Amino acid sequence: MRYGKYRFIASFLAVPLLLYIVFVISPYVQAFSISMTDWSGFSSDRNFIGLGNYAELMGDGRFWRAMSHNLQLLIVVPLVTLGIALFLASMTTLAGRRGSAGRGGVRGSRFYQVVFFFPHVVPLVIAGVLFGFFYNPQAGLLNGLLRVVGFDWLTRAWLGDTTFALPAVMAVLIWIYVGFYYVVFSAAMKSLPTDVFEAAVLDGAGRFRTFRSITLPMITDTLKTSYVYLGILMLDGFALLQVILPDGGPDGSTEVVAQYLYRAAFTDGRFGYASAIGVALCLVTLVLAVPFLRMGRRERVEY
């Protein structure tokens, strides 16, 4: 009977497992095998060169500079995005006129929810085009507003300045993703039990103390998962940067690894080397994600 049960379960798992192997595992294996060759991508000739591409990658200054840009995005964008989203979610979900245990947020919170989420509805490509005009040094809205309020000395070619190009792109990414994580945190806060907050009010805890001692610990898993997910996105960053600054920005100041991979494959015709870049990026993602998840492991809060 038990044998029949396991066979029945295996019959249901066989097809999904096969699809996972074909469409998920197989591409990774193929990418690694291509990275061990000098394949140009445009012919059937490919010579096995072992770890030659990886040896070249270790001494490739352009790759490491692109990786440093990804790491800057990884540190700044998630911290700022999640911080803003957490603040907005607490204001529109927990704060309000009914005390620390209230629900519904500040007055007009439903309108704010629509406004905050709207940027995430805009596709990345369209956002890149819009902000390309926004940062335009001559006819852009940003410099125009600075001139109107009398801050002419602050106007500059934002995307043409090696100092400000990457921060300008970070601002766009933050604008895009805040809305999504605002919704995630709002949902997490709405699922918290009201009686816990009522007990905190009876004990005399203020809003900040309630948020720090009750709300944050109870949504730690959501915060951790959000940071990992957004961090993985920042290790990519190809779509927006390729639209706003397809040439890697002034003096390569905004080029990320995904853009370097794209150029190595489709501009330089080095698919083998590009595959090695992709494998390296995948390993970096795993190295950063797995320890973070393990360090954040704690006892589950039951409520």
Side-chain angles (χ1 to χ4, degrees):
M1 186 69 179
R2 181 173 298 178
Y3 175 75
K5 180 182 69 174
Y6 290 144
R7 186 171 58 182
F8 179 74
I9 295 173
S11 66
F12 278 94
L13 294 178
V15 174
L17 183 60
L18 179 62
L19 292 175
Y20 183 81
I21 292 174
V22 172
F23 293 105
V24 179
I25 302 298
S26 175
Y28 282 104
V29 174
Q30 292 180 49
F32 181 73
S33 64
I34 293 173
S35 71
M36 308 285 281
T37 69
D38 62 354
W39 187 40
S40 66
F42 303 103
S43 69
S44 59
D45 298 331
R46 59 172 77 179
N47 299 313
F48 180 79
I49 59 174
L51 299 177
N53 286 325
Y54 294 97
E56 180 181 350
L57 196 62
M58 293 300 294
D60 190 342
R62 186 175 175 181
F63 168 78
W64 291 111
R65 188 183 184 191
M67 181 62 72
S68 71
H69 296 155
N70 278 108
L71 293 178
Q72 291 178 54
L73 293 175
L74 176 64
I75 294 171
V76 176
V77 175
L79 288 177
V80 177
T81 300
L82 299 184
I84 295 175
L86 193 60
F87 172 77
L88 296 177
S90 63
M91 289 296 100
T92 58
T93 305
L94 300 178
R97 300 180 299 281
R98 289 175 288 176
S100 299
R103 288 291 189 272
V106 297
R107 187 185 300 273
S109 59
R110 290 186 180 277
F111 171 75
Y112 298 142
Q113 290 170 4
V114 176
V115 173
F116 296 151
F117 187 71
F118 175 75
H120 190 69
V121 179
V122 180
L124 275 174
V125 174
I126 295 178
V129 173
L130 291 176
F131 275 92
F133 287 110
F134 179 76
Y135 286 128
N136 187 286
Q138 302 301 325
L141 181 60
L142 179 56
N143 281 347
L145 290 174
L146 291 174
R147 294 188 185 98
V148 168
V149 297
F151 291 125
D152 300 63
W153 56 277
L154 281 177
T155 60
R156 66 190 74 250
W158 297 96
L159 298 178
D161 191 312
T162 56
T163 303
F164 292 96
L166 190 59
V169 174
M170 290 180 182
V172 180
L173 290 167
I174 293 168
W175 179 82
I176 291 172
Y177 288 113
V178 159
F180 176 79
Y181 291 100
Y182 158 73
V183 172
V184 171
F185 295 150
S186 294
M189 291 177 184
K190 288 178 181 178
S191 68
L192 301 180
T194 305
D195 55 350
V196 177
F197 294 94
E198 291 174 348
V201 172
L202 293 175
D203 289 340
R207 295 182 187 277
F208 179 75
R209 179 60 184 274
T210 302
F211 177 78
R212 181 171 61 87
S213 301
I214 296 178
T215 305
L216 274 182
M218 298 184 79
I219 65 170
T220 297
D221 289 340
T222 304
L223 277 169
K224 179 178 63 177
T225 304
S226 298
Y227 191 93
V228 171
Y229 180 72
L230 187 54
I232 291 173
L233 291 176
M234 292 306 102
L235 286 174
D236 178 14
F238 174 80
L240 182 68
L241 281 161
Q242 190 65 13
V243 173
I244 297 181
L245 294 165
D247 57 351
D251 195 27
S253 59
T254 64
E255 185 178 51
V256 292
V257 174
Q259 285 182 298
Y260 185 34
L261 184 156
Y262 177 83
R263 292 189 182 88
F266 297 102
T267 301
D268 301 334
R270 302 186 63 192
F271 271 71
Y273 190 63
S275 297
I277 296 174
V279 172
L281 183 60
C282 178
L283 291 176
V284 169
T285 303
L286 291 175
V287 166
L288 293 176
V290 174
F292 182 81
L293 289 172
R294 288 185 174 275
M295 286 189 298
R297 185 176 295 172
R298 62 184 178 86
E299 292 186 5
R300 187 176 182 85
V301 178
E302 301 288 347
Y303 54 86

